[in-house]
Amino acid sequence: MAEAAAGGSRFKAKVNILDVASGAVLRSLEQEDQEDITAFDLSPDDEVLVTASRALLLAQWAWREGSVIRLWKAIHTAPVATMAFDPTSTLLATGGCDGAVRVWDIMRHYGTHHFRGSPGVVHLVAFHPDPARLLLFSSAADATIRMWSLQERSCLAMLTAHYSAVTSLTFSADGHTMLSSGRDKICIVWDLQSCQATKTVPVFESVEAAVTLPEEPAPELGVKSTGLHFLTAGDQGMLRVWEAASGQCVYTQPRLPGPGRELTHCALARAAGLLLSVTADHNLLLYEARSLQLQKQFAGYSEEVLDVRFLGPEDSHVVVASNSPCLKVFELQTSACQILHGHTDIVLALDVFRKGWLFASCAKDQSIRIWRMNKAGKVACVAQGSGHTHGVGTICCSRLKETFLVTGSQDCTVKLWPLPEALLSKSTVPDGGPVLLQAQATQRCHEKDINSVAVAPNDKLLATGSQDRTAKLWALPQCQLLGVFLGHRRGLWCVQFSPMDQVLATASADGTVKLWALQDFSCLKTFEGHDASVLKVAFVSRGTQLLSSGSDGLLKLWTIKNNECVRTLDAHEDKVWGLHCSRLDDHALTGASDSCVILWKDVTEVEQAEEQAKREEQVVKQQELDNLLQEKRYLRALGLAISLDRPHTVLTVIQAIRRDPEACEKLEATVFQLRRDQKEALLRFCVTWNTNSRHCHEAQAVLGVLLRHEAPEELLAYEGVRASLEALLPYTERHFQRLSRTLQAATFLDFLWHNMKLPTLPAAPPVPPSTL
């Protein structure tokens, strides 16, 4: 089963296809004009998806493939605000901000009707469920429901009873009754035969959606008779079931605490037996339709992510604090989500206890909460506490055992909260609700906001970092001041103890990370590289490296020994507020103001192993190449050299072939038998060789073979052949000119030699013997 959902406020230009089973986004659909999508609808047969954009274009999608089948103008003079398919999936009605209603034949691709008369924006259209009746209903800014006849092309009736915007229209199974809901806090039952209101049900909340339930008993929802019952969703954040005949509420869903619970949409998937509701903070909730038991939750747009943490002994889950009072817990393997309610204002920071089952949160509501995850992955609040007079901006749990936690606040104080024995001895939620926490110690630590607190690995020391540009070291549990770390030029955002050494790391708005000695409070090292505030810092690789994140959206990995930044990771587009490393130090988690949470994997060992394997493979291939050349198996040697992707090695093979007494024939035979991809590589290598006068002869020899034995159309089909030829031409011309000058010089020398040669002297006549 898949659901189509419009993206959050940053992704209005897309429609996301969500797999209900896995929670994964299968596909994102975006129109070619990349304009905001103002309305979309999926046909009842799940085959056709139509979207409308602000550019007044309608797009028909083959949504499973993610391709647009057809694109046409909406003809409306203002953006389409709503659309609906008829029961046969052949007609589509669109209501525009121009007050017009249009009907389109999706199969034959033309407009069939154009209805005018609605004042203002038409924000609701719905077809009658009986396709034989050919009725269309619409509602506009005047809160009047108009009933249009497609056969008569006219308005049959105007249903006026609402005095505020009508938000939904739904029909009974027999099609004789229609239910309308509105923001005027009433639902009205209409008799479609007489076009009169038969019942007005006050629901005491602004209703955003109403759904008629199947006319069959559902004891778990208080439905005991077969009469008309309907479900409402609105600004109270609860699903409620009403009996139409009596106007009484027969079922009310328990209300969860916290703001942002208002429901904005509700839909019933009858075939799947599921009810979908959408909250004001963009979360999707799936309920079992007959009992309203929560089945699945999907977190919507997260806005600004403020903190992230791994959860569970094996880091199997992730908890995310975004710009919301709600926490979101994701299972990494399945992307299943839980939305945790409890805080009444934005959650600012998180931390996890050593074993991974308990974690703590603090918020702007001046409170802290402790949550427990059971072995099934379900999370519940087990303790809460309050005492700060301003928002609690940072929290840190004890490192050795689950014994206490420390909080820092905008009120410039630090509080130490011991965990009660009752909380530690139980594995489930305590009876009677969360345990109340009491602060054991309170200490005013700084003159400005405390942005970060950290507990040492031995639970005996506490470090605090403040907006007053200082970090301080305290002894626990009495919170006695031991020393002050002075040196940063701007406020501190993060402090962190080394897991191995007596060292403290601090991250500051001055763009630096500093390491301090705990014994004498001296600055040991300063790491400079971020162009903006450094927001988080963490020790990795057993304390030998630092990982820092900044408001420039970058993550930097530093080697402490030599102060070197060995890697910069650029994946976020805004401030990286959240940074947490896994227990095994092989994964990191980041969350940023760009609404993204990214899971990073340490691939250092993998890369080193790959590099070692690559070196070993090169050595083996080089030895094999030497053996092949020794055995004069030139074809195999040339193929192996090309596979090494080293032009000089291939050049060595070509030179070895040319040194053979039968050079020309050997070279032609060898090159001719190469595969096409090998010839393409050889041509690229020729470009490199041709730039050097010492190697140009080999390049020209190979080019000669290719030009003689390859047809021109085949050569032009080579990958990158045009660029290769452009690079070959100037150097070839230069070599030709050089050879021409050399030939001219040689010819001149030959001419001089012939002219300098003395004529042959005539032989002397023989002397007669008589003269001797």
Side-chain angles (χ1 to χ4, degrees):
M1 178 183 176
E3 289 283 347
S9 57
R10 288 184 68 244
F11 302 102
K12 288 179 180 175
K14 296 179 182 177
V15 171
N16 293 327
I17 307 298
L18 182 71
D19 183 12
V20 173
S22 66
V25 176
L26 300 179
R27 195 167 284 105
S28 291
L29 309 180
E30 183 176 7
Q31 289 192 195
E32 293 178 2
D33 51 30
Q34 295 185 336
E35 290 281 350
D36 288 351
I37 292 175
T38 57
F40 70 92
D41 197 27
L42 184 65
S43 61
D45 60 6
D46 292 341
E47 293 299 324
V48 181
L49 176 70
V50 176
T51 60
S53 73
R54 199 174 291 278
L56 307 183
L57 291 176
L58 296 174
Q60 181 179 337
W61 296 82
W63 61 270
R64 291 181 176 85
E65 292 78 29
S67 59
V68 175
I69 299 175
R70 177 174 166 248
L71 196 67
W72 74 98
K73 291 184 178 179
I75 308 180
H76 289 276
T77 57
V80 174
T82 183
M83 63 174 64
F85 275 94
D86 80 324
T88 65
S89 301
T90 57
L91 296 179
L92 175 72
T94 57
C97 295
D98 55 359
V101 177
R102 292 184 175 272
V103 181
W104 308 86
D105 189 318
I106 295 298
M107 308 305 292
R108 297 185 179 87
H109 305 161
Y110 70 96
T112 61
H113 297 77
H114 181 197
F115 297 120
R116 284 193 170 276
S118 303
V121 177
V122 178
H123 55 257
L124 187 63
V125 290
F127 280 96
H128 192 278
D130 183 1
R133 299 181 67 171
L134 291 175
L135 294 177
L136 175 65
F137 297 83
S138 69
S139 180
D142 61 352
T144 298
I145 302 170
R146 289 172 169 80
M147 183 168 68
W148 309 89
S149 170
L150 300 187
Q151 286 180 323
E152 300 178 13
R153 297 178 177 272
S154 63
C155 180
L156 296 182
M158 296 174 62
L159 313 180
T160 56
H162 287 282
Y163 54 87
S164 187
V166 179
T167 54
S168 67
L169 298 174
T170 183
F171 301 87
S172 62
D174 57 12
H176 298 316
T177 305
M178 181 177 72
L179 176 76
S180 63
S181 66
R183 297 197 177 110
D184 50 10
K185 302 184 179 182
I186 60 173
C187 290
I188 300 176
V189 180
W190 303 87
D191 183 349
L192 294 182
Q193 294 176 329
S194 62
C195 296
Q196 297 294 320
T198 60
K199 184 73 177 179
T200 298
V201 181
V203 294
F204 310 108
E205 70 168 331
S206 178
V207 180
E208 294 298 325
V211 175
T212 54
L213 298 176
E215 295 187 10
E216 55 188 35
E220 295 182 32
L221 301 181
V223 179
K224 300 176 181 177
S225 62
T226 57
L228 180 63
H229 289 75
F230 61 92
L231 179 143
T232 59
D235 60 4
Q236 291 188 13
M238 299 180 295
L239 297 175
R240 295 191 289 174
V241 178
W242 303 80
E243 185 180 34
S246 64
Q248 292 184 343
C249 178
V250 296
Y251 174 84
T252 301
Q253 187 185 42
R255 180 178 172 81
L256 294 173
R261 295 288 300 162
E262 298 87 352
L263 299 176
T264 58
H265 294 85
C266 189
L268 179 64
R270 296 180 186 272
L274 295 173
L275 182 82
L276 170 70
S277 67
V278 183
T279 65
D281 53 2
H282 313 291
N283 299 320
L284 280 69
L285 309 177
L286 274 176
Y287 297 93
E288 200 277 316
R290 292 187 58 82
S291 63
L292 290 188
Q293 293 294 316
L294 186 61
Q295 298 292 309
K296 284 182 179 290
Q297 303 177 78
F298 300 108
Y301 175 49
S302 294
E303 297 190 35
E304 193 170 3
V305 177
L306 300 180
D307 210 353
V308 289
R309 286 292 186 275
F310 284 104
L311 279 186
E314 306 295 331
D315 295 329
S316 57
H317 292 68
V318 166
V319 57
V320 178
S322 58
N323 200 17
S324 162
C326 304
L327 291 171
K328 301 177 179 70
V329 176
F330 297 91
E331 186 178 1
L332 288 176
Q333 196 168 19
T334 63
S335 299
C337 174
Q338 297 173 69
I339 300 169
L340 309 179
H341 300 273
H343 287 287
T344 57
D345 209 338
I346 294 172
V347 178
L348 297 175
L350 303 164
D351 200 21
V352 183
F353 285 94
R354 185 176 64 89
K355 293 182 179 178
W357 298 111
L358 281 177
F359 68 96
S361 61
C362 60
K364 276 188 178 180
D365 60 9
Q366 305 174 15
S367 74
I368 64 171
R369 285 180 177 263
I370 297 178
W371 311 78
R372 176 182 280 119
M373 184 175 72
N374 62 21
K375 292 184 178 180
K378 298 297 180 184
V379 180
C381 180
V382 293
Q384 62 181 358
S386 59
H388 284 286
T389 58
H390 289 75
V392 187
T394 178
I395 193 166
C396 187
C397 300
S398 54
R399 294 297 172 226
L400 285 178
K401 296 181 180 179
E402 299 170 342
T403 53
F404 67 90
L405 56 86
V406 179
T407 57
S409 168
Q410 293 175 356
D411 60 14
C412 305
T413 66
V414 161
K415 288 183 181 289
L416 178 70
W417 308 79
L419 269 61
E421 290 293 331
L423 182 64
L424 301 176
S425 61
K426 296 183 178 180
S427 59
T428 58
V429 181
D431 297 333
V435 173
L436 292 177
L437 299 175
Q438 297 292 331
Q440 174 182 323
T442 301
Q443 177 68 46
R444 183 177 176 84
C445 297
H446 293 271
E447 297 303 316
K448 291 186 178 180
D449 297 0
I450 297 174
N451 293 329
S452 179
V453 294
V455 176
N458 62 2
D459 281 353
K460 293 181 179 180
L461 298 174
L462 171 70
T464 59
S466 169
Q467 205 66 32
D468 65 6
R469 297 180 291 181
T470 66
K472 295 183 180 181
L473 189 67
W474 309 81
L476 292 176
Q478 291 83 15
C479 290
Q480 296 170 330
L481 181 62
L482 299 178
V484 181
F485 302 96
L486 292 169
H488 282 292
R489 300 186 304 275
R490 298 186 67 183
L492 275 69
W493 282 113
C494 184
V495 294
Q496 197 71 260
F497 284 99
S498 169
M500 308 299 289
D501 303 311
Q502 299 292 309
V503 170
L504 181 76
T506 58
S508 169
D510 61 12
T512 65
V513 175
K514 289 181 181 290
L515 283 185
W516 309 83
L518 298 182
Q519 288 84 0
D520 56 5
F521 309 105
S522 62
C523 181
L524 301 175
K525 288 179 179 290
T526 299
F527 301 88
E528 296 180 295
H530 284 279
D531 295 329
S533 300
V534 185
L535 303 176
K536 280 287 192 296
V537 64
F539 284 90
V540 294
S541 304
R542 298 176 180 85
T544 61
Q545 291 181 305
L546 287 173
L547 186 63
S548 62
S549 67
S551 57
D552 52 7
L554 300 177
L555 271 76
K556 288 183 178 288
L557 182 64
W558 310 84
T559 298
I560 293 176
K561 186 176 182 180
N562 56 14
N563 277 49
E564 181 185 359
C565 178
V566 294
R567 182 161 296 186
T568 297
L569 307 173
D570 185 5
H572 288 287
E573 299 175 359
D574 210 338
K575 302 178 184 67
V576 184
W577 289 108
L579 170 64
H580 191 222
C581 297
S582 63
R583 296 169 185 277
L584 300 178
D585 241 8
D586 58 346
H587 288 82
L589 193 66
T590 57
S593 296
D594 59 3
S595 308
C596 293
V597 176
I598 298 178
L599 180 65
W600 304 86
K601 183 179 180 181
D602 185 357
V603 295
T604 304
E605 293 184 1
V606 175
E607 289 180 347
Q608 289 175 348
E610 288 178 352
E611 186 66 26
Q612 180 64 25
K614 190 174 181 180
R615 285 197 296 266
E616 292 175 358
E617 184 183 4
Q618 295 280 5
V619 170
V620 171
K621 284 187 174 181
Q622 187 64 49
Q623 183 61 51
E624 185 180 354
L625 181 63
D626 293 341
N627 295 339
L628 291 172
L629 289 175
Q630 187 71 26
E631 298 168 6
K632 297 187 177 183
R633 297 167 61 186
Y634 296 124
L635 177 62
R636 182 74 184 277
L638 188 58
L640 181 60
I642 292 173
S643 71
L644 290 171
D645 196 27
R646 291 190 298 192
H648 184 71
T649 304
V650 180
L651 177 64
T652 304
V653 177
I654 297 293
Q655 289 172 340
I657 296 173
R658 284 170 55 82
R659 283 196 296 268
D660 192 281
E662 302 173 355
C664 185
E665 293 79 3
K666 291 275 186 181
L667 183 62
E668 288 193 5
T670 305
V671 173
F672 185 70
Q673 294 181 61
L674 293 175
R675 300 192 310 269
R676 176 172 168 172
D677 61 315
Q678 293 174 323
K679 292 178 182 177
E680 291 173 353
L682 202 55
L683 183 61
R684 289 197 306 272
F685 297 157
C686 285
V687 174
T688 304
W689 306 336
N690 200 47
T691 60
N692 191 323
S693 59
R694 289 181 298 173
H695 306 145
C696 66
H697 302 289
E698 286 77 12
Q700 294 298 324
V702 172
L703 280 174
V705 174
L706 290 174
L707 291 172
R708 283 194 300 272
H709 291 282
E710 291 286 309
E713 57 272 11
E714 291 183 6
L715 279 173
L716 288 173
Y718 279 17
E719 184 180 355
V721 65
R722 295 183 186 278
S724 298
L725 291 176
E726 288 175 2
L728 282 166
L729 283 173
Y731 283 99
T732 301
E733 289 177 1
R734 188 180 302 174
H735 298 322
F736 181 75
Q737 292 169 2
R738 180 171 51 80
L739 290 174
S740 297
R741 290 193 300 270
T742 304
L743 182 61
Q744 289 173 0
T747 304
F748 183 67
L749 285 173
D750 188 56
F751 171 75
L752 285 177
W753 167 248
H754 282 289
N755 283 283
M756 290 171 65
K757 285 197 303 184
L758 295 173
T760 306
L761 295 174
V767 180
S770 60
T771 62
L772 296 176

